[in-house]
Amino acid sequence: MTTMNTAVRVAPNARQNPAVLDWSERYRGRDNAAFLAGVARALERTARAYPETIDPGGVLCVGLLGEFGHIGYGLRRAQATLRLDRQPSYWSHALLVATALSAGQNAYRSRRTAPWLYEVAFTPDPAMTMVAFRSGASPRSSADYVPARFRRLAPPAVPNIAILALALTADERERVLARAIRPETDSTRYDLGQLRARWFEYLVDPVVQPNPLAEGVAMPSAAYVQLAYDAAGVDLSPGAMQRNTAPEHIWQLVRRLYRDAELMDESGHRAPRVVAGWYCVRDRSALPAPDGRDVAPERLDRCFNPAPARRRRRR
């Protein structure tokens, strides 16, 4: 049963999607505000080529994040069972773009002006009070995910980021948006709160607890994105057991299995669905923190009460 739940999808003749662009070198030394602004400009150009199916602002695009910290580390390592090479995934979190992305970098540096996202997170925004009544889903400011460099005693940084655009008709977009806003309407199939609890058990004690993916338990963030796209009949993990949907499944779809994503037109005919994307991977090894450092400092008092800088003596 475990083998069936974690079956690795192999497509020998599949080629990498030429419309998913690697911007890792371009934005390696910059933060995610610069990356998202670049994606916004690229989306406008893509929407001109596909005006009826790609939103120029990126609304309802899928976002993938790979975070530093023990939670991101555990989630990325767990998805190695879904990969043919058994390497950790680049991604630990999936989300939806709720409002149009901005082409200006400064918009992302303030919560007042940053575009909003929809997500199910292990650490939701404390300002959102209705999380428990919406199956764990809540909006979040994209400003929270701007930092790309590791900082001690700060929220986890996001070294890896991707924005993926799947073509949606106007009717599909309306249905996906309605489901994303009200995920509790399908709580019988997607108990996102229970998924979070199951994954918390694994992340706290991965030695004793089995990998939830091997038991057919989906990652909450990816399950939420799939729940929303279910409303339009879009399968984000073709060829996989849908119960254990993870960010890695979505990544494999847009990278190599994109031809399996089909769009049905008004006449009932199926056609290939346009799948485009942009990504920046700064951390490929899935460490809790860069350079092998632990997330927690050795002595907390050194962080709260740093030693005063020594003054140089004047000669």
Side-chain angles (χ1 to χ4, degrees), residues 56 59 72 96 120 126 140 171 187 241 303:
V59 176
L96 293 173
V120 170
R140 192 177 204 123
D171 179 63
S187 59
M241 186 174 182
C303 294

Side-chain angles (χ1 to χ4, degrees), residues 262-273:
E262 295 182 333
L263 183 146
M264 183 176 294
D265 58 22
E266 297 179 355
S267 59
H269 298 290
R270 292 188 176 275
R273 187 182 296 270

Side-chain angles (χ1 to χ4, degrees), residues 4-21:
M4 183 186 74
N5 286 346
T6 60
V8 177
R9 298 173 296 172
V10 179
N13 298 325
R15 296 182 178 180
Q16 290 189 7
N17 186 349
V20 177
L21 304 180

Side-chain angles (χ1 to χ4, degrees), residues 4-315:
M4 183 186 74
N5 286 346
T6 60
V8 177
R9 298 173 296 172
V10 179
N13 298 325
R15 296 182 178 180
Q16 290 189 7
N17 186 349
V20 177
L21 304 180
D22 184 357
W23 284 0
S24 300
E25 292 300 325
R26 181 185 300 185
Y27 292 99
R28 185 172 301 279
R30 306 168 69 182
D31 62 12
N32 293 327
F35 172 81
L36 291 171
V39 169
R41 294 188 290 269
L43 271 168
E44 293 178 355
R45 295 190 295 268
T46 304
R48 287 196 290 268
Y50 306 97
E52 297 181 358
T53 55
I54 298 294
D55 183 82
V59 176
L60 297 182
C61 281
V62 178
L64 297 180
L65 307 179
E67 300 166 287
F68 283 132
H70 287 304
I71 291 179
Y73 167 81
L75 296 175
R76 292 176 63 182
R77 290 281 176 177
Q79 294 174 86
T81 189
L82 303 176
R83 293 175 56 94
L84 187 63
D85 57 7
R86 290 299 191 264
Q87 295 298 309
S89 174
Y90 294 154
W91 317 110
S92 59
H93 188 55
L95 49 82
L96 293 173
V97 177
T99 59
L101 298 177
S102 172
Q105 298 183 32
N106 292 334
Y108 300 92
R109 306 188 193 282
S110 170
R111 290 176 59 88
R112 294 180 303 172
T113 57
W116 285 87
L117 312 167
Y118 290 135
E119 66 175 5
V120 170
F122 285 98
T123 55
D125 188 338
M128 303 302 165
T129 59
M130 300 296 291
V131 177
F133 300 96
R134 302 183 66 252
S135 298
S138 65
R140 192 177 204 123
S141 172
S142 57
D144 292 347
Y145 295 131
V146 165
R149 293 184 177 181
F150 174 76
R151 298 173 297 171
R152 293 182 185 271
L153 300 182
V158 182
N160 300 347
I161 185 170
I163 298 295
L164 312 172
L166 283 78
L168 295 171
T169 64
D171 179 63
E172 288 177 335
R173 186 171 287 107
E174 291 179 2
R175 284 183 282 167
V176 171
L177 180 60
R179 184 66 59 83
I181 295 174
R182 297 290 304 275
E184 66 274 13
T185 59
D186 200 6
S187 59
T188 56
R189 285 199 304 155
Y190 292 92
D191 190 344
L192 300 176
Q194 184 179 11
L195 295 180
R196 291 172 67 198
R198 177 65 184 85
W199 275 94
F200 262 124
E201 293 179 357
Y202 171 74
L203 293 172
V204 170
D205 195 357
V207 176
V208 175
Q209 299 293 334
N211 188 338
L213 291 176
E215 298 183 340
V217 179
M219 287 189 174
S221 63
Y224 169 68
V225 174
Q226 181 61 72
L227 179 154
Y229 272 78
D230 271 353
V234 180
D235 184 4
L236 297 177
S237 55
M241 186 174 182
Q242 197 166 357
R243 284 197 302 130
N244 68 343
T245 303
E248 181 64 26
H249 284 129
I250 303 174
W251 176 242
Q252 292 176 8
L253 167 69
V254 300
R255 283 283 282 166
R256 291 187 176 274
L257 306 178
Y258 60 99
R259 296 184 185 277
D260 294 326
E262 295 182 333
L263 183 146
M264 183 176 294
D265 58 22
E266 297 179 355
S267 59
H269 298 290
R270 292 188 176 275
R273 187 182 296 270
V274 175
V275 179
W278 304 264
Y279 67 96
C280 177
V281 175
R282 305 180 184 93
D283 173 51
R284 298 178 181 271
S285 55
L287 295 174
D291 303 326
R293 295 177 297 173
D294 193 4
V295 173
E298 296 180 0
R299 290 183 55 184
L300 293 177
D301 60 339
R302 293 179 179 174
C303 294
F304 293 113
N305 300 300
R310 295 182 179 179
R311 295 183 179 179
R312 295 182 178 180
R313 295 181 180 179
R314 295 182 180 179
R315 296 181 179 179

